[in-house]
Amino acid sequence: MKVAFIGNINSKCGIAVYNELLFNALKEFTEIKFFSERNEEEDNKYIAYCWDREEFPKLSLIEKIDEFKPDVILFSHEYGIFPKAYFFTSLVSYFKLKKYKVVTIFHSVYENHQDKLVTESICKNVVVHTDEAKRALVRKGLNEENISIVPHGCSFANEEESILPRLWNHNGNEHVVLQAGFLFYYKSHLHMLDVIYELKKKYENVLYIIVGSENPLCKSEHDKLYKEICDKVEKLGLTHNVVIDRGFVSKNVLMSYIRTSYACVLPYKPDPEFDVFAASGMARIVLQTSTPLLTSKANLFNNMDDVAIKCDTTDSWVKSISDIFDKKFDENKMIESRKAFLKENSWENCAKKLIDIFNIAK
């Protein structure tokens, strides 16, 4: 079976990281080639950089797909990568006319956005990451038989399949809270500053580290949010309790931050109108370590109740982080739950599920 994988790869983007890991897993089971959005990388045996998100029509992509003659085309879809519906739907329509099987992974499902049905409906072989995302699409009017569930992939950080222990406490501080990820408003850095303000009343040296990834395409939002964070830090008197490291960091740097922190927080709070059924890649990176993970109850963290502590109000965040600082949680139980989660949702298992979908695709 020949598979053409369309998306972005080797760029500063969470979806690109997902695509790379899934691509490597699928290589073990099928003949596959990646057809990527252009960046500074050069073509190689497995990857052709041949289209841009604002380009229409994507003639170079179409030409290279036709040359490859795949049995299946796999789209890794995110609305930011296909910003106008017809950029995507015209491709799907063309490939179906050419008798290719088309399978689409929808990383984000917005139940309250009826407009997005014009994108979702044209895909007759849909893949989502959670049961909740599937139910949301069915409620919107899609045929349940066309929707399959493949969880977001996971991996251990080492070949021994063990959870990475903490590193030496280089910070010299046992009250370190880390939030890593892109500087977007829905990730609630501003609310977390209120939590840190309350924690400081009990832990004077509490340290909130923000590793703020950035994408040049979103520079205006990154800059605006960074200024608001800095202004609020000063207003709350937290100048010496907050560290901000801006920029897209390597996996090694990110793991160092995680493994020298005492709690990792992902307090995402999407606007109700933009509530999204998705799966957090950052959460799955934290699960490779023994550092406790606290998340909001947003739909990006569905099916993670056994491996993350869920919080919603300021008081619940303060209490849960305090319990971690005071060692009032079962670390051994947490580690065993993480091992089971990572094994069940391995990239290999995800690739096998996709191969099964390819075989029955319409």
Side-chain angles (χ1 to χ4, degrees):
M1 179 186 297
K2 295 179 70 175
V3 177
F5 194 162
I6 300 176
N8 61 336
I9 198 169
N10 295 327
S11 58
K12 297 177 180 179
C13 168
I15 299 297
V17 174
Y18 171 96
N19 291 341
E20 179 181 0
L21 294 168
L22 178 59
F23 181 55
N24 290 334
L26 284 168
K27 282 181 184 177
E28 301 298 318
F29 302 100
T30 188
E31 181 181 350
I32 188 168
K33 186 166 184 174
F34 203 102
F35 297 84
S36 175
E37 180 181 31
R38 295 186 187 97
N39 54 34
E40 297 178 356
E41 301 288 329
E42 296 184 356
D43 290 4
N44 58 53
K45 177 181 177 181
Y46 292 106
I47 305 174
Y49 299 92
C50 56
W51 58 275
D52 295 310
R53 64 184 65 188
E54 296 292 347
E55 174 186 35
F56 182 82
K58 295 177 172 43
L59 297 179
S60 178
L61 169 62
I62 290 170
E63 180 181 351
K64 289 186 179 297
I65 293 288
D66 285 339
E67 288 175 359
F68 185 59
K69 292 181 173 57
D71 301 297
V72 175
I73 293 175
L74 174 65
F75 276 98
S76 179
H77 181 279
E78 183 57 51
Y79 288 99
I81 299 170
F82 296 97
K84 297 180 181 180
Y86 76 96
F87 287 5
F88 172 73
T89 57
S90 62
L91 281 173
V92 174
S93 181
Y94 171 81
F95 291 140
K96 287 163 68 174
L97 287 171
K98 297 287 286 188
K99 306 301 181 183
Y100 300 128
K101 294 181 178 181
V102 179
V103 177
T104 304
I105 301 172
F106 280 104
H107 295 289
S108 299
V109 173
Y110 294 88
E111 183 172 10
N112 296 326
H113 287 210
Q114 296 297 313
D115 58 296
K116 290 180 171 52
L117 278 167
V118 299
T119 290
E120 296 156 344
S121 177
I122 199 168
C123 302
K124 305 309 179 187
N125 302 289
V126 171
V127 175
V128 294
H129 294 310
T130 63
D131 294 321
E132 293 85 352
K134 178 175 180 177
R135 288 196 290 269
L137 287 177
V138 172
R139 287 193 293 269
K140 288 176 75 173
L142 264 64
N143 187 341
E144 183 174 2
E145 295 180 357
N146 293 345
I147 308 168
S148 301
I149 300 168
V150 177
H152 189 299
C154 296
S155 59
F156 288 89
N158 54 38
E159 293 181 359
E160 293 76 26
E161 296 193 346
S162 60
I163 301 299
L164 296 179
R166 286 185 43 77
L167 293 174
W168 174 257
N169 183 10
H170 182 60
N171 285 306
N173 186 337
E174 295 187 354
H175 304 128
V176 179
V177 177
L178 173 70
Q179 182 172 351
F182 283 91
L183 288 173
F184 292 130
Y185 280 95
Y186 80 89
K187 297 197 174 182
S188 298
H189 301 85
L190 295 171
H191 175 229
M192 188 50 56
L193 288 173
D194 294 326
V195 175
I196 299 301
Y197 177 79
E198 294 299 323
L199 285 167
K200 187 178 179 181
K201 295 175 183 179
K202 184 177 180 181
Y203 312 98
E204 188 175 354
N205 69 338
V206 64
L207 185 65
Y208 176 38
I209 299 176
I210 299 172
V211 179
S213 297
E214 299 186 10
N215 186 316
L217 297 172
C218 305
K219 186 178 187 302
S220 60
E221 181 172 355
H222 298 328
D223 289 345
K224 187 172 184 291
L225 177 56
Y226 176 72
K227 183 181 185 305
E228 291 185 27
I229 290 172
C230 292
D231 289 346
K232 188 166 184 175
V233 165
E234 186 173 1
K235 179 181 178 181
L236 294 178
L238 296 174
T239 302
H240 303 294
N241 299 92
V242 178
V243 172
I244 306 174
D245 186 353
R246 290 184 69 178
F248 197 90
V249 300
S250 68
K251 178 72 176 293
N252 284 344
V253 171
L254 178 60
M255 292 301 278
S256 179
Y257 270 117
I258 294 171
R259 297 174 67 195
T260 54
S261 298
Y262 282 76
C264 288
V265 297
L266 297 174
Y268 303 176
K269 189 176 181 181
D271 183 302
E273 183 183 350
F274 297 98
D275 191 16
V276 60
F277 293 89
S280 167
M282 182 58 65
R284 286 156 175 79
I285 293 175
V286 177
L287 296 185
Q288 299 174 1
T289 77
S290 62
T291 304
L293 172 65
L294 302 92
T295 75
S296 70
K297 296 183 179 180
N299 285 313
L300 290 92
F301 310 109
N302 290 335
N303 305 327
M304 299 190 74
D305 290 357
D306 293 337
V307 291
I309 300 166
K310 299 293 184 72
C311 307
D312 49 6
T313 64
T314 299
D315 287 345
S316 66
W317 281 103
V318 172
K319 182 182 184 307
S320 295
I321 294 172
S322 296
D323 286 346
I324 290 170
F325 286 167
D326 297 338
K327 298 179 173 58
K328 296 179 180 178
F329 76 103
D330 190 335
E331 181 173 316
N332 291 329
K333 181 180 178 181
M334 175 192 71
I335 288 175
E336 291 306 311
S337 295
R338 290 185 176 188
K339 285 182 181 178
F341 186 92
L342 294 179
K343 288 180 180 178
E344 180 180 354
N345 298 291
S346 70
W347 289 107
E348 179 182 357
N349 286 344
C350 293
K352 289 178 179 177
K353 290 178 180 179
L354 277 173
I355 294 296
D356 290 340
I357 292 168
F358 296 161
N359 285 326
I360 64 172
K362 305 181 180 94

